Amino acid sequence: MKRSLAFKRLFWFDWRLHGVAMLLPIIMFIGVESYILFNPMLYGIQVIQTAFIPWIAWTVILHFQPIFEEGAYDTLVPYYRKWLVMDILRFLLLYFVGYLVLTGTLLFNDVDIPTIVFLHHIELILLFLFFGMTLILWTKRFEYALSLLLMYTLLEVVTKGQFMPWPHVFQFETNYFDPLYHVKVQFVGILVILFSFMSIAKISKRN
C-alpha cells in the first residue's frame, strides 16, 4: 500500500514539475501505435526509432535535469539516490512496455525485426541520453539542448539521413543485413561511449 502511494506521488511530482511535457512520450506512443496499426508494413521500425525513442530519452533527461543546474548537484543527488529504484521501475513500466507493444504490433503483422535492430534502438536511447546530458552541461539550458537535438532529428527525418554533412544515426533503409548498417550500429556505439565520457567528465570537473 505504501509503495503504491509513493508510486502515485512520484507521478504527481512529475506532473507538478513538468506539466504537459511528461505526457509527450505517451502522446507519441499513441500516435506511433496508431500509425503502425494502419500502416504496419510502411516504415514502422523507422517511425519507432525517430518518433518514440527520442522522447523516451528526453523525458528521462527532463526528470533529472535539475541536477545539472549550477550549484544544485550536491543538494539533489541524495534525493535522487533515495528514489532511484522507484524511478527505474516506473520508467521501465511506461517506456519499455510501450516499446514492447510497438515492436510486438509489428511482429504480429509479420514485420521481421532482426536482433541488431533492438541493439541499435538501445544504443539510440543511450545516445540521446548522454548527448542530451552533454549539451545541457555545455549550454547550461535544457531548452537550448532540446532545440538542437529536435532540429537534428527533424532534419534527419526530412532528408532520410541523406545530403547533410554530419553523422547519421538513424536507419531509413529496410535492408538491415547490409554491412553498412552494421558499421552504423558500431559507430553509434562509439558515439555513446564518447558522449558518456564527455558528460561524466564535465560533471566531475564541476564538482
Side-chain angles (χ1 to χ4, degrees):
M1 180 66 181
K2 290 183 178 180
R3 285 186 175 275
S4 176
L5 183 60
F7 202 72
K8 292 178 181 178
R9 285 178 177 174
L10 276 176
F11 283 105
W12 177 245
F13 172 79
D14 278 357
W15 177 257
R16 293 293 298 272
L17 185 63
H18 306 308
V20 179
M22 76 167 286
L23 297 178
L24 286 175
I26 300 174
I27 295 171
M28 294 304 295
F29 166 79
I30 295 172
V32 173
E33 177 68 7
S34 300
Y35 176 89
I36 291 175
L37 286 173
F38 288 103
N39 307 278
M41 304 298 292
L42 187 63
Y43 304 121
I45 296 176
Q46 291 81 358
V47 172
I48 291 175
Q49 71 175 353
T50 56
F52 183 65
I53 286 178
W55 285 112
I56 296 176
W58 276 98
T59 303
V60 176
I61 285 287
L62 179 64
H63 179 74
F64 290 104
Q65 183 265 338
I67 69 174
F68 303 128
E69 297 290 341
E70 202 70 38
Y73 182 85
D74 294 330
T75 304
L76 294 176
V77 163
Y79 169 80
Y80 281 104
R81 283 176 180 164
K82 180 180 178 181
W83 294 101
L84 184 61
V85 174
M86 187 66 74
D87 280 337
I88 292 173
L89 288 176
R90 67 200 183 96
F91 286 139
L92 282 176
L93 174 65
L94 284 175
Y95 307 133
F96 181 65
V97 172
Y99 176 77
L100 288 180
V101 171
L102 294 176
T103 53
T105 303
L106 288 176
L107 292 171
F108 181 78
N109 285 278
D110 297 323
V111 177
D112 184 38
I113 306 179
T115 304
I116 193 171
V117 172
F118 293 106
L119 174 62
H120 183 209
H121 288 175
I122 293 172
E123 288 182 345
L124 285 176
I125 292 175
L126 295 176
L127 177 63
F128 272 81
L129 281 171
F130 287 118
F131 188 33
M133 285 176 59
T134 304
L135 286 174
I136 290 172
L137 290 168
W138 282 97
T139 64
K140 304 187 186 320
R141 290 293 298 272
F142 175 80
E143 294 82 3
Y144 295 161
L146 178 60
S147 298
L148 287 172
L149 206 45
L150 281 176
M151 187 183 303
Y152 169 83
T153 303
L154 181 61
L155 287 173
E156 283 288 280
V157 172
V158 170
T159 64
K160 293 188 177 180
Q162 300 176 355
F163 313 119
M164 294 295 173
W166 53 57
H168 306 294
V169 299
F170 297 121
Q171 174 71 3
F172 293 97
E173 302 294 331
T174 56
N175 185 10
Y176 299 106
F177 299 98
D178 188 345
L180 291 177
Y181 177 52
H182 290 243
V183 172
K184 178 178 289 188
V185 171
Q186 294 172 14
F187 175 70
V188 174
I190 293 172
L191 288 179
V192 169
I193 296 172
L194 173 64
F195 285 115
S196 65
F197 275 112
M198 288 178 63
S199 57
I200 292 171
K202 186 68 174 177
I203 290 178
S204 301
K205 185 177 180 180
R206 263 180 37 182
N207 297 281

